[in-house]
Amino acid sequence: MNPVTPNQTTSDATGVAAASGQPSPTFSPLYQQIKGLITQSLQSGEWKPGEMIPSEVELANRFKVSQGTVRKAIDELAAENLVMRRQGKGTFVSTHHEARAHFRFLRLMPDEGVPHYPESTFIEVKRLRAPAEVARLLDLKSGDAVVYIKRVQNFDGVPTIVEELWLPGLIFKGLTAERLNEYKGPMYGLFESEFGTRMIRAQEKIRAVCAEAGDAALLRVAAGTPLLCAERVSFTYGDKPVELRRGLYLTERHHYQNDLI
């Protein structure tokens, strides 16, 4: 097999896509094209979360490129948490059910003690029409159906987070308070296993606010108490927004931690 080098022509790049039987990617470095084709297979569900993907040799044969090109593509996918390498076993599709994934999107850490997942108390779960700002952030039409969730998260019995979530109603049809209360584990695990929606990245805005009366009551603090407010839009494959989340964090015993790599 003669590997195709990154400085190939556009027609060569099209040949890679044709050999894979998949849509032609736009011209870019070869490993980026292979990364895109593997991502398409992840998005289509060819390999499910938690499943092992084909070996580098098998993928190299499939796409008619060198094993080194495939390895570089997988390295980037692993760095983006889309796949996970397991020494001596292979490469697996990342899943929110893995223990290490529980804290990828939960950034509130205790000042003392071992990080652990909070317990949730659901205040409200209902379907409603998307307000204009929610529709804009979720790339919906104003008035489209969304699922609205409000909950309090408790660490060791202490209410610490008040969250509001908006989810596209079409994708999360059938999500109810009963199902949320029954499920034990991180919410993103439920979204992945029962609604086929995997959160792969998020954008956050963080600011300091003062607790309003209703939220202060839920957190058992005085109105006006300083809180950390985080607004997050989470995306699935294809940069499709599938969740808007606004959280109020009490940081008396916790801090927001972000590892910059």
Side-chain angles (χ1 to χ4, degrees):
M1 178 184 69
N2 295 319
V4 184
T5 56
N7 62 352
Q8 63 181 19
T9 64
T10 304
S11 60
D12 292 332
T14 304
V16 173
S20 69
Q22 305 209 22
S24 299
T26 55
F27 182 70
S28 59
L30 185 55
Y31 78 92
Q32 287 282 356
Q33 297 177 45
I34 301 306
K35 174 187 172 185
L37 294 172
I38 294 173
T39 301
Q40 287 177 18
S41 292
L42 294 173
Q43 184 175 0
S44 69
E46 179 178 349
W47 311 307
K48 302 289 191 300
E51 289 183 353
M52 185 169 67
I53 70 172
S55 68
E56 291 177 0
V57 172
E58 291 172 314
L59 290 171
N61 288 332
R62 171 173 174 170
F63 297 123
K64 303 296 188 290
V65 295
S66 71
Q67 187 176 342
T69 298
V70 171
R71 182 177 298 116
K72 192 169 182 180
I74 291 177
D75 284 344
E76 284 210 354
L77 291 169
E80 294 172 8
N81 293 295
L82 295 183
V83 299
M84 181 181 66
R85 297 184 185 276
R86 292 180 183 168
Q87 188 66 34
K89 294 183 179 180
T91 302
F92 295 77
V93 182
S94 295
T95 170
H96 289 292
H97 291 284
E98 296 167 357
R100 73 168 193 167
H102 293 179
F103 299 100
R104 184 180 167 209
F105 291 94
L106 177 64
R107 313 304 292 178
L108 202 66
M109 297 295 169
D111 292 335
E112 298 180 1
V114 179
H116 59 282
Y117 212 76
E119 295 181 355
S120 293
T121 301
F122 292 94
I123 307 300
E124 193 172 8
V125 181
K126 63 183 179 182
R127 290 179 70 87
L128 48 79
R129 294 187 180 278
E133 179 66 4
V134 171
R136 183 183 68 81
L137 292 171
L138 291 178
D139 198 19
L140 301 172
K141 294 178 181 178
S142 185
D144 279 357
V146 291
V147 177
Y148 170 79
I149 300 168
K150 185 168 186 175
R151 67 174 177 173
V152 176
Q153 292 187 283
N154 304 274
F155 288 93
D156 301 320
V158 179
T160 306
I161 305 172
V162 175
E163 283 189 324
E164 293 181 295
L165 294 82
W166 291 264
L167 306 164
L170 189 61
I171 296 175
F172 292 93
K173 187 176 181 180
L175 181 61
T176 63
E178 290 75 19
R179 186 65 194 98
L180 287 167
N181 281 310
E182 288 171 0
Y183 185 79
K184 303 303 178 186
M187 190 179 287
Y188 283 174
L190 174 67
F191 294 170
E192 175 185 284
S193 59
E194 296 199 14
F195 297 93
T197 301
R198 173 169 164 71
M199 311 299 184
I200 62 173
R201 74 174 188 90
Q203 293 178 339
E204 278 192 334
K205 296 178 182 178
I206 300 176
R207 60 171 58 91
V209 299
C210 294
E212 296 182 358
D215 295 319
L218 291 173
L219 291 171
R220 301 177 196 166
V221 297
T225 297
L227 301 173
L228 192 65
C229 174
E231 178 180 286
R232 175 198 303 170
V233 179
S234 298
F235 300 82
T236 189
Y237 297 108
D239 257 3
K240 178 178 175 59
V242 285
E243 179 201 53
L244 170 62
R245 181 182 298 221
R246 290 175 179 154
L248 296 172
Y249 300 143
L250 182 62
T251 56
E252 188 176 79
R253 301 177 185 175
H254 292 76
H255 59 273
Y256 187 95
Q257 179 170 315
N258 193 15
D259 299 321
L260 303 178
I261 300 174

